Amino acid sequence: IFTGYPSFSSPFTLLRDAADAGINLFLAANNHSADKGANGIQGSINYYNKLNLKYVGIYKDSVDKAKNHPLIINKNNISISILNYTYGTNGINVPKPYIVNLINKEDILKDIKKSRLKGADVIIATLHWGVEYNTKESKEQKELESFLKENGVNIIIGSHPHVPQPVAIYKLAPTKIKGITAYSLGNAISNMTAQNTRIGLMISFSVIKSKPKDIRISDPEIRYIW
């Protein structure tokens, strides 16, 4: 049964059409991941696999997670690790043996180390975090961002607040970027009526590898969408 707030469930065609539109990686860990219990999580996994789509953040069990997390994407001789976590699942217990990645520093640190052991040149952490409708990042977001940066995460992409939040660009030199943090991209599609909830951000950047240890990130292009 397809339902809206507060317990969400969307038709399979939404995933199919998103893939047809060119979206080729899906972030599945968010505060509504467990809304439909085991059937919802397993159904999502089934559809991702049916369409041969890459996804992160939810797993059938610990064996599945050990095999597929972190997700490493290899392209043009560059290895990129994609990590995905959520602050919680709205108080709904994730049914065993399923797993939804939760924000936990100890687990994240293990995942960062595993990413490097798997040869990741760049680590991108995607986080469902922050305070809804706040256009500024919270104290907790800034503290977690510092932890991620200190431990080797290069790019941080945030969601959940439903409104755009600042994008921080960290440089080692005028032309050398160390990292990028987009605290919240806002909403790409929305029928919400709260202020700023029909605004989103699109961020594009390049990862350049000229030598084995020489990894560069380009200046990001940031565009607002409505």
Side-chain angles (χ1 to χ4, degrees), residues 39-99:
N39 288 338
I41 297 173
Q42 185 62 60
S44 297
I45 291 172
N46 288 346
Y47 285 132
Y48 288 132
N49 290 334
K50 182 177 180 179
L51 293 176
N52 196 29
L53 295 171
K54 288 181 169 55
Y55 67 95
V56 288
I58 60 172
Y59 307 93
K60 291 186 291 185
D61 50 35
S62 58
V63 175
D64 181 34
K65 180 175 178 178
K67 179 182 177 182
N68 296 299
H69 179 78
L71 174 66
I72 304 291
I73 296 175
N74 295 292
K75 188 169 184 179
N76 297 335
N77 199 35
I78 299 173
S79 294
I80 298 176
S81 172
I82 309 291
L83 307 177
N84 178 220
Y85 310 92
T86 177
Y87 70 89
T89 53
N90 292 347
I92 301 171
N93 291 325
V94 177
K96 295 181 179 180
Y98 296 97
I99 296 171

Side-chain angles (χ1 to χ4, degrees), residues 101-182:
N101 280 352
L102 299 178
I103 295 172
N104 177 290
K105 288 183 179 179
E106 186 176 333
D107 291 340
I108 292 173
L109 196 56
K110 290 178 183 177
D111 294 339
I112 292 171
K113 291 179 179 178
K114 191 174 178 181
S115 297
R116 294 300 183 195
L117 287 173
K118 286 191 168 187
D121 296 306
V122 173
I123 298 177
I124 299 177
T126 58
L127 302 169
H128 209 72
W129 64 350
V131 181
E132 289 182 303
Y133 315 121
N134 280 17
T135 56
K136 297 292 184 181
E137 69 275 19
S138 67
K139 179 181 177 182
E140 290 75 18
Q141 282 172 284
K142 293 180 76 171
E143 192 274 332
L144 184 56
E145 183 215 24
S146 294
F147 168 80
L148 293 170
K149 284 165 47 191
E150 288 168 6
N151 286 286
V153 172
N154 307 97
I155 309 291
I156 301 169
I157 307 284
S159 58
H160 180 64
H162 294 295
V163 296
Q165 290 182 343
V167 177
I169 302 170
Y170 301 96
K171 295 188 176 184
L172 292 171
T175 59
K176 188 169 184 179
I177 291 178
K178 181 180 181 182
I180 301 169
T181 299

Side-chain angles (χ1 to χ4, degrees), residues 27-44:
L27 311 176
N30 60 69
N31 59 311
H32 291 285
S33 296
D35 279 6
K36 296 299 179 179
N39 288 338
I41 297 173
Q42 185 62 60
S44 297

